[in-house]
Amino acid sequence: MVTFAQLRRSSFEALDRAGDTWNGVSGHMEHVSARMRADVIRTLTGDPDSAPPGGSRPWSGAAADEAVREIGLLADELRAFHYEALAVSAALHRAGSAFTEAGRRLLRAIGDAEALGATVAEDGTVTLPGLPPAARHDPAAVARHRRTRDELRRHVAIMEDAVSAATEADTAAAAALHALNPAKVAGAEVAPDEGGPGAPDRTESRGAQARRNSRPGGNSTGTAIVLNV
């Protein structure tokens, strides 16, 4: 899962760089596979275009046939890995784009909430100060405060949607990688390292944990709104 604090503070450029690296690995595997067939297998079997009339293979017999077969299988495996590496690259690029867009939406909503006079804590709690005692009996001041509170709720909804979108992207990328190689990535998320998407939120306050755990379905966005009116 991706928490509010992680999405707010993380940079996802590393995912794009990793995607580029895997794309390079894919191209290299394709090149090696082609070279094995063109240089190794063709050397063993002979080049029919350059062989003299009635010429024979440089190496023939049961051992030669087995060598050609095994090398051909290896070339096929490298070719298959080329496609798997392409899929890894695509999954990382998709995740990076989704995380980046979700992070932008979150930061915009945080800025809008702060522009209304609210504070946004690291655990996602949004607090709007209440009216001072002298203004509590002023109908115009009370009405303005209510409008501000309603507008703030809309920004909080955007924050929650952004965190949910990032969590969905994390789950989708993990599933895509799992499908490619279940043995190595079983149970893993895209960014399980400490402090990144996919890691537990070590800084979440007990109050935020209680609010999160009390939600239906255990919503883990870590975003709540507290209005001190």
Side-chain angles (χ1 to χ4, degrees):
M1 74 176 188
V2 179
T3 67
F4 182 97
Q6 290 164 349
L7 186 59
R8 184 181 192 178
R9 299 300 181 190
S10 296
S11 172
F12 305 104
E13 294 177 356
L15 283 174
D16 281 333
R17 290 195 298 270
D20 291 341
T21 298
W22 275 98
N23 189 63
V25 169
S26 171
H28 180 67
M29 291 299 101
E30 183 180 33
H31 175 72
V32 171
S33 175
R35 287 291 300 274
M36 287 182 70
R37 291 195 175 278
D39 295 347
V40 180
I41 295 179
R42 199 161 182 171
T43 297
L44 293 177
T45 59
D47 185 352
D49 296 330
S50 60
S56 61
R57 288 170 53 180
W59 183 28
S60 60
D65 292 341
E66 182 63 16
V68 170
R69 189 186 73 84
E70 290 293 334
I71 295 171
L73 290 175
L74 180 56
D76 289 343
E77 290 179 3
L78 290 172
R79 181 73 172 173
F81 185 75
H82 151 69
Y83 289 112
E84 289 194 355
L86 271 183
V88 171
S89 174
L92 293 174
H93 279 303
R94 282 195 303 269
S97 295
F99 289 149
T100 299
E101 176 58 26
R104 287 172 181 163
R105 289 175 56 204
L106 178 68
L107 293 178
R108 281 197 300 267
I110 290 174
D112 290 339
E114 291 174 340
L116 292 173
T119 58
V120 183
E122 285 299 305
D123 68 351
T125 299
V126 181
T127 304
L128 179 67
L131 285 171
R136 292 177 184 174
H137 301 291
D138 180 350
V142 171
R144 285 194 301 271
H145 190 266
R146 286 176 178 169
R147 288 194 297 271
T148 299
R149 181 181 58 190
D150 291 342
E151 186 175 353
L152 185 59
R153 289 187 186 277
R154 290 193 291 272
H155 296 315
V156 168
I158 294 172
M159 296 179 202
E160 292 179 332
D161 287 344
V163 175
S164 295
T167 297
E168 290 175 4
D170 195 40
T171 301
L177 296 176
H178 176 86
L180 289 170
N181 196 337
K184 289 187 178 179
V185 296
E189 291 178 329
V190 171
D193 54 305
E194 192 71 24
D201 183 7
R202 305 296 186 189
T203 63
E204 188 178 28
S205 69
R206 293 192 181 190
Q209 289 176 351
R211 287 190 297 274
R212 170 169 55 81
N213 293 333
S214 68
R215 293 175 182 167
N219 187 336
S220 61
T221 63
T223 306
I225 185 167
V226 177
L227 300 177
N228 298 323
V229 180

